[in-house]
Amino acid sequence: VLVTTIDEAITRLRAHGVTVTPARRAVVAAIFDTGEHHLTALEVVHRVERTRRRPDRATVYRTLDLLADAGVLRPVHLGTGPAIYHRTDHTHAHLVCTSCGAVVEIPAEAVDELTRLLERDARFTIEPDQIVISGLCAMCHDV
Amino acid sequence: VLVTTIDEAITRLRAHGVTVTPARRAVVAAIFDTGEHHLTALEVVHRVERTRRRPDRATVYRTLDLLADAGVLRPVHLGTGPAIYHRTDHTHAHLVCTSCGAVVEIPAEAVDELTRLLERDARFTIEPDQIVISGLCAMCHDV
DNA sequence: CTTTTTGCAAAGCTTTTGCACCACA
DNA sequence: TGTGGTGCAAAAGCTTTGCAAAAAG
């Protein structure tokens, strides 16, 4: 069940017994109104429409938690810095360059293959969206 | 060139132009005197022998940096919480259970296979020691 | 009217940094 | 006597929490 629009996300929240308030709706809108599927909590704060009073950081963090519980977002720590939250409608793994910090996404098909490989070897249920691999991106490697 | 003993680590530090002080030696000893190959900075602080005055956190962090630069240790963030530093003489990837926090290691052979797969698909040079994958361990999955 | 949610401020946790002191060549 | 290492304390960055005021049902 993919969640790809604001309305679907709101519906999903309700299905999880979460009351939908203006602040929460604003957070959801900020996330789905952008092409980015990688946002930090603070980026969400700054993106909330200026039409309403900007929600407090605490509220945004709490809402992101609710969205994660509802399966709309997945929080991922890319090593250093703040967690990024990414939408679950776009499965991918993350390659992080230890030199320049660039984040490259691995497409779903490769992630599938990878997941199969891992689950074959380890008694572990992989969360495909939470694969983080560090290394050097092509540009930094060539320097 | 694997670094597997205190002396090799000390030698490696010297080769990188780092002067070896009692405090630094104590940190190296604390790391190599234990069966663990996963230590946080604070665990290192607490493990330093009680025979000498315990080095300050800052000193330990600075020394861990030096050891990382020298290729003796690799810092890895397992999502939440402090970074772990693991010895480079024991290549492995990390599976982290999002429910109980357990860390399962993926052995070198599987990591190799994984690395090949990834480097085939992405123009990226993988750091095999810095693969972190979240999911559910067998125990938490069965509950 | 009761239960949540929100904003604010404070605290938490990990790590970094500035600076004075100290050790050692 | 100068170079760099160390400890201490403070700060920085991200996130969580306690609590009183506000909003929702």
Side-chain angles (χ1 to χ4, degrees):
Chain A
V1 189
L2 289 187
V3 176
T4 56
T5 66
I6 300 183
D7 286 348
E8 282 165 9
I10 296 289
T11 303
R12 186 68 85 95
L13 275 184
R14 286 221 177 82
H16 275 249
V18 174
T19 60
V20 175
T21 64
R24 290 179 182 163
R25 197 183 297 271
V27 168
V28 170
I31 291 166
F32 281 87
D33 270 352
T34 145
E36 302 292 333
H37 25 249
H38 279 170
L39 291 173
T40 67
L42 289 194
E43 283 167 351
V44 172
V45 171
H46 294 314
R47 269 183 158 84
V48 171
E49 298 190 56
R50 297 172 269 339
T51 52
R52 75 180 298 287
R53 205 149 146 297
R54 184 159 283 159
D56 192 71
R57 286 199 301 286
T59 301
V60 170
Y61 277 109
R62 291 188 272 234
T63 305
L64 291 173
D65 269 359
L66 295 174
L67 287 165
D69 288 348
V72 175
L73 298 179
R74 199 95 60 206
V76 181
H77 288 261
L78 299 182
T80 270
I84 59 164
Y85 293 79
H86 70 78
R87 318 218 300 248
T88 49
D89 61 347
H90 179 260
T91 287
H92 60 275
H94 302 91
L95 292 175
V96 183
C97 177
T98 48
S99 175
C100 70
V103 179
V104 175
E105 299 183 2
I106 306 175
E109 312 83 59
V111 174
D112 278 353
E113 202 174 338
L114 219 138
T115 304
R116 270 198 301 281
L117 175 62
L118 285 165
E119 294 191 336
R120 187 197 67 200
D121 287 346
R123 305 202 322 102
F124 209 91
T125 308
I126 305 295
E127 194 67 68
D129 278 320
Q130 303 206 344
I131 301 180
V132 177
I133 296 168
S134 301
L136 288 177
C137 71
M139 257 180 42
C140 290
H141 183 254
D142 291 345
V143 177
Chain B
V1 188
L2 288 188
V3 176
T4 56
T5 65
I6 300 183
D7 287 348
E8 284 165 6
I10 296 289
T11 303
R12 186 66 87 95
L13 274 185
R14 286 220 177 82
H16 276 248
V18 174
T19 59
V20 175
T21 64
R24 290 178 181 165
R25 197 184 296 272
V27 168
V28 171
I31 292 165
F32 282 88
D33 270 354
T34 143
E36 301 293 333
H37 25 248
H38 280 169
L39 290 171
T40 67
L42 288 194
E43 281 168 352
V44 173
V45 171
H46 292 315
R47 269 183 157 85
V48 171
E49 298 191 55
R50 298 173 268 339
T51 53
R52 75 180 296 288
R53 205 148 144 300
R54 184 160 284 162
D56 190 72
R57 284 199 304 286
T59 301
V60 170
Y61 276 108
R62 291 188 272 235
T63 304
L64 291 173
D65 268 359
L66 294 173
L67 287 165
D69 287 347
V72 175
L73 298 180
R74 200 95 61 204
V76 182
H77 288 261
L78 299 182
T80 273
I84 59 163
Y85 291 80
H86 72 77
R87 317 218 301 248
T88 49
D89 62 347
H90 180 260
T91 287
H92 60 275
H94 303 91
L95 292 175
V96 183
C97 179
T98 47
S99 172
C100 69
V103 178
V104 175
E105 301 182 2
I106 306 175
E109 312 84 59
V111 175
D112 278 352
E113 201 173 338
L114 220 136
T115 304
R116 269 198 303 280
L117 174 62
L118 284 166
E119 294 191 337
R120 186 198 67 200
D121 287 344
R123 306 201 324 103
F124 209 91
T125 310
I126 304 295
E127 194 66 71
D129 278 322
Q130 302 207 345
I131 301 179
V132 177
I133 296 167
S134 301
L136 288 177
C137 72
M139 256 179 45
C140 290
H141 183 254
D142 292 345
V143 176

